[in-house]
């Protein structure tokens, strides 16, 4: 299940912008449409993340963007306690996870694990996407977050 | 040794030097002046004039560029101006390696490998203020509160503990060992500050699984090493310290963004180890003392395993304070106090300590040390590692 929220998990951090050369614009357009878009090679069908101009497997430059099904699980995690940014000074601990998509060549993405900041995090747990929309930002964007399924 | 490798014993470290090491932001001198002081100290140690230098090697986008250094030092000919790209301090051994390449090819005659760091002046790696939008890899990390160096390597360590049943006590032993060694080292920032199990266990989380004492310091200072041919080194010093091998190392897609390296739970030393020992003509069991870069203790555990100095299976038994200490341990580690307790000079201090061990003048001298290994940068996209030895080690 996919969820959309306007609740900001970590307010005040720097906002993302597509790369000036356009490489990852489809990803950021996708999150605003609640889609997880990643690269897939048209020649050898390898999924690729982060984005690059070339398929790392066969070196083809014919790459398309595909929408991933949401099935994925926690690959690793950390719980920061020390504030690394002034906006986090009074935030307290929070959770960052790496999630992996076994059906897409094991590619991984980084996001926050929503919910109780002190929850037990179990590697291998199924998680579902939450699109955290920042529609008042200039320009608007959405972050891909996660919660335990 | 294979004919493929011809570095072994051809170049030597003629001199080493560093400035006073300062706590973060406390250097009375600006960074560039610190580098000049370190180079002068290394030249004095080598017994050469700074005017003999004709090459410079550094790493990690060092801000103190060779053209300005050569200008300041009044060097007659600048023949080699070199930078190794990596993240963190992964290039400390690579700078020595590049210097060695320049010497062996005849591109230069006296090369200084150096690193300057005034974090008070310029800010720490990964400390991210500002409010401008970020793009590229940063856009996949910063909005999620992932921006500090500790955060970049925490999740690999989580996976190390999970996949290989490594006990957290291995990380504690490494921290305790570094602080123990710092107590005898007059250069060490943490001299006079001891660390015990209880203090470590009670220390605050920076980011789980790293506690405060798992993390490197923030410091100001500079360090330099003078690299010359072994022939020239013998004119300068009776028994020079030889470079036996040096290797840079990154695995398949080790630089892939947002936690996508193919092999995730790695210090990045798997490719290096197989070349390093063959180059050096030694085996892991020949290594008398190890300087293993601690950005974070979990990375040291991975590094020691990937260098063949222990295994995933026996790491919990081998990596104890008793085994890691210079006075009587079977695997003496970070005998200067390292990045945790001597100074965080992005690892050049660890290379220098390896040289001191072979000379026999470390403040935590390992008896009859003939072979010393010093690595740099675990978990970064490109790490580097080197083995130093005495003439006796050449056999
Ligand atoms: Zn392909």
């Amino acid at each position: 299940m996919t969820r959309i929220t306007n609740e900001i998990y970590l307010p005040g951090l720097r906002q993302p912008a597509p790369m000036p050369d356009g490489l990852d614009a489809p990803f950021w357009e996708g999150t605003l449409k609640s889609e997880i878009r990643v690269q897939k090679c048209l020649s050898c069908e390898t999924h690729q993340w982060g984005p690059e101009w070339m398929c790392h497997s066969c070196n083809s430059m014919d790459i398309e963007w595909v929408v991933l099904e949401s099935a994925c699980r926690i690959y690793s995690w950390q719980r920061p306690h020390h504030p690394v940014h002034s906006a986090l000074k009074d935030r307290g601990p929070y959770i960052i996870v790496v999630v992996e998509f076994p059906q897409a060549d094991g590619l991984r993405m980084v996001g926050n694990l929503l919910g109780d900041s002190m929850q037990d995090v179990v590697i291998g747990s199924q998680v579902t996407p939450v699109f955290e929309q920042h529609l008042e930002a200039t320009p608007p964007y959405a972050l891909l977050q996660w919660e335990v399924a | 040794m294979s004919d493929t490798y011809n570095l072994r014993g051809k170049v030597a470290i003629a001199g080493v030097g560093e400035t006073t090491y300062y706590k973060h932001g406390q250097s009375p001198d600006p960074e560039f002046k610190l580098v000049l002081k370190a180079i002068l100290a290394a030249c004095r140690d080598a017994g050469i004039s700074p005017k003999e230098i004709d090459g410079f090697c550094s790493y990690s986008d060092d801000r103190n560029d060779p053209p300005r250094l050569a200008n300041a030092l009044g060097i007659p000919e600048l023949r080699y101006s070199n930078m190794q790209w990596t993240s963190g301090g992964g290039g400390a051994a690579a700078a020595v390696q590049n210097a060695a390449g320049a010497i062996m090819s005849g591109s230069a005659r006296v090369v200084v490998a150096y690193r300057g760091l005034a974090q008070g002046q310029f800010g720490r790696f990964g400390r991210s203020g500002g409010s401008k939008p970020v793009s590229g890899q940063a856009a996949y990390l910063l909005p999620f509160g992932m921006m500090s160096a500790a955060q970049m390597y925490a999740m690999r360590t989580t996976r190390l503990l999970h996949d290989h049943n490594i006990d957290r006590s291995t990380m504690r032993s490494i921290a305790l060992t570094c602080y123990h060694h710092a107590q005898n080292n007059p250069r060490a920032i943490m001299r006079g500050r001891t660390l015990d199990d209880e203090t470590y266990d009670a220390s605050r989380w920076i980011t789980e699984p790293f506690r405060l004492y798992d993390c490197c310091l923030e410091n100001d200072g500079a360090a330099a090493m003078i690299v010359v041919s072994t022939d020239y080194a013998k004119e300068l010093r009776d028994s020079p310290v030889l470079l036996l091998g040096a290797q840079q190392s990154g695995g398949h897609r080790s630089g892939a963004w947002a936690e996508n390296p193919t092999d995730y739970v790695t210090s990045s030393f798997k490719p290096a180890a197989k070349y390093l020992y063959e180059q050096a003509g030694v085996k892991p069991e020949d290594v008398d003392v190890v300087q293993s870069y601690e950005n974070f203790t979990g990375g040291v555990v991975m590094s020691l395993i990937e260098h063949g100095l222990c295994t995933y299976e026996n790491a919990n038994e081998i990596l104890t304070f008793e085994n890691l200490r210079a006075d009587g341990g079977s695997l003496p580690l970070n005998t200067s106090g390292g990045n945790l307790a001597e100074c965080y000079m992005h690892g050049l201090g660890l290379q220098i300590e390896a040289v001191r061990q072979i000379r026999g003048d470390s403040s935590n001298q390992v008896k009859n040390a003939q072979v010393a290994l010093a690595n740099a940068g675990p978990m970064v996209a490109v790490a580097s590692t080197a083995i130093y030895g005495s003439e006796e080690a050449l056999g």
Side-chain angles (χ1 to χ4, degrees):
Chain A
M1 280 299 294
T2 295
R3 191 163 73 82
I4 295 169
T5 184
N6 295 312
E7 205 175 313
I8 311 302
Y9 186 71
L10 297 176
L13 295 182
R14 293 166 78 172
Q15 75 177 70
M19 293 166 71
D21 63 6
L23 174 61
D24 65 352
F27 174 80
W28 292 110
E29 287 161 13
T31 58
L32 272 171
K33 292 176 178 163
S34 303
E35 289 180 357
I36 306 170
R37 295 182 188 171
V38 299
Q39 288 184 314
K40 186 179 181 185
C41 176
L42 284 164
S43 302
C44 76
E45 302 195 330
T46 297
H47 291 84
Q48 176 161 287
W49 197 251
E52 192 44 274
W53 293 108
M54 176 177 284
C55 166
H56 69 265
S57 181
C58 74
N59 299 143
S60 166
M61 297 177 89
D62 295 325
I63 294 178
E64 63 174 341
W65 288 80
V66 295
V67 177
L68 284 189
E69 293 306 311
S70 61
C72 70
R73 60 195 182 201
I74 294 174
Y75 183 77
S76 195
W77 65 281
Q78 66 179 308
R79 186 173 3 240
H81 292 242
H82 178 73
V84 290
H85 189 282
S86 53
L88 297 170
K89 211 158 76 65
D90 301 313
R91 173 63 176 74
Y94 56 97
I95 300 170
I96 315 173
V97 286
V98 184
V99 301
E100 67 167 342
F101 294 79
Q103 78 280 22
D105 298 306
L107 69 79
R108 307 180 196 122
M109 288 188 170
V110 172
N112 297 120
L113 185 68
L114 306 188
D116 181 0
S117 293
M118 296 311 290
Q119 65 186 287
D120 286 331
V121 186
V122 179
I123 288 174
S125 300
Q126 297 290 319
V127 288
T128 54
V130 179
F131 290 91
E132 180 188 293
Q133 293 187 333
H134 295 242
L135 299 180
E136 278 76 53
T138 318
Y141 65 96
L143 297 179
L144 177 51
Q145 305 280 29
W146 303 94
E147 60 190 2
V148 175
Chain B
M1 191 179 56
S2 154
D3 292 341
T4 311
Y5 304 118
N6 54 9
L7 173 63
R8 184 174 190 257
K10 296 285 171 46
V11 306
I13 311 306
V16 296
E18 60 271 286
T19 63
T20 300
Y21 289 147
Y22 301 98
K23 286 187 175 166
H24 172 257
Q26 293 188 2
S27 168
D29 294 321
E31 191 177 87
F32 189 77
K33 191 173 174 186
L34 292 171
V35 174
L36 291 171
K37 284 184 166 182
I39 291 173
L40 292 183
C43 289
R44 268 196 307 277
D45 183 57
I48 63 167
S49 160
K51 311 282 189 206
E52 287 190 53
I53 296 171
D54 56 2
F56 295 85
C57 295
S58 192
Y59 55 101
S60 289
D61 299 329
D62 193 286
R63 288 171 287 259
N64 310 286
D65 60 274
R68 186 177 170 196
L69 289 169
N71 186 45
L73 292 162
I75 279 162
E77 292 181 324
L78 176 54
R79 299 173 66 201
Y80 199 74
S81 174
N82 175 269
M83 164 60 62
Q84 190 263 3
W85 278 274
T86 186
S87 49
V96 178
Q97 176 200 30
N98 286 333
I103 300 294
M104 288 183 64
S105 63
S107 301
R109 182 171 166 273
V110 176
V111 182
V112 57
Y114 68 97
R115 181 71 176 140
L117 203 54
Q119 297 197 319
Q121 189 182 351
F122 291 104
R124 179 179 169 81
F125 268 160
R127 172 118 340 136
S128 189
S131 57
K132 275 194 274 183
V134 287
S135 64
Q137 174 167 238
Y140 304 125
L141 303 176
L142 264 63
F144 307 101
M146 183 165 165
M147 57 194 91
S148 73
Q151 293 174 330
M152 296 302 171
Y153 304 114
M155 291 198 275
R156 285 192 196 219
T157 303
T158 300
R159 235 8 245 216
L160 170 77
L161 304 178
H162 174 269
D163 289 7
H164 299 289
N165 295 312
I166 301 293
D167 199 276
R168 280 202 54 96
S169 66
T170 58
M171 294 161 63
R172 183 175 63 193
S173 301
I174 288 159
L176 259 57
T177 302
C178 291
Y179 273 76
H180 174 70
H181 289 152
Q183 303 315 309
N184 288 336
N185 178 356
R187 295 179 305 275
I189 301 271
M190 289 300 171
R191 191 178 197 201
R193 287 268 308 273
T194 55
L195 180 64
D196 56 25
D197 287 358
E198 293 70 33
T199 310
Y200 173 94
D201 290 342
S203 67
R204 63 191 171 93
W205 291 115
I206 298 301
T207 181
E208 296 175 52
F210 293 143
R211 293 188 181 277
L212 175 66
Y213 292 105
D214 292 309
C215 304
C216 56
L217 299 168
E218 303 178 49
N219 299 121
D220 295 354
M225 301 168 72
I226 305 290
V227 184
V228 301
S229 71
T230 298
D231 287 344
Y232 184 36
K234 283 180 181 170
E235 292 176 27
L236 297 169
R237 188 184 287 273
D238 284 341
S239 43
V241 176
L242 309 179
L243 184 64
L244 301 185
Q247 184 65 48
Q248 301 181 38
S249 185
H252 182 244
R253 304 192 77 225
S254 62
W257 286 0
E259 308 295 299
N260 276 279
T262 306
D263 185 6
Y264 187 72
V265 187
T266 178
S267 59
S268 291
F269 283 121
K270 286 179 196 171
K274 63 183 176 194
Y275 300 113
L276 179 70
Y277 290 114
E278 199 172 341
Q279 282 179 25
V282 300
K283 296 189 168 62
E285 53 267 34
D286 300 323
V287 175
D288 296 311
V289 55
V290 181
Q291 316 299 332
S292 192
Y293 191 113
E294 337 88 306
N295 36 15
F296 305 98
T297 52
V300 178
V301 176
M302 295 180 213
S303 299
L304 296 174
I305 292 169
E306 291 174 26
H307 278 85
L309 298 164
C310 62
T311 66
Y312 293 110
E313 292 71 30
N314 71 13
N316 292 340
E317 289 82 62
I318 303 282
L319 303 183
T320 63
F321 175 62
E322 291 308 315
N323 283 339
L324 298 178
R325 54 198 285 177
D327 40 339
S330 57
L331 182 62
L333 178 78
N334 296 8
T335 48
S336 63
N339 294 335
L340 294 188
E342 184 194 41
C343 175
Y344 185 42
M345 197 38 56
H346 286 175
L348 205 65
L350 292 164
Q351 302 296 314
I352 288 176
E353 177 65 10
V355 171
R356 290 204 166 106
Q357 283 288 351
I358 301 304
R359 285 191 193 174
D361 57 12
S362 165
S363 51
N364 290 285
Q365 184 61 43
V366 170
K367 256 185 224 158
N368 195 32
Q370 304 294 333
V371 176
L373 187 150
N375 65 46
M379 308 180 281
V380 299
V382 188
S384 63
T385 180
I387 294 179
Y388 302 87
S390 62
E391 286 196 283
E392 202 171 305
L394 276 183

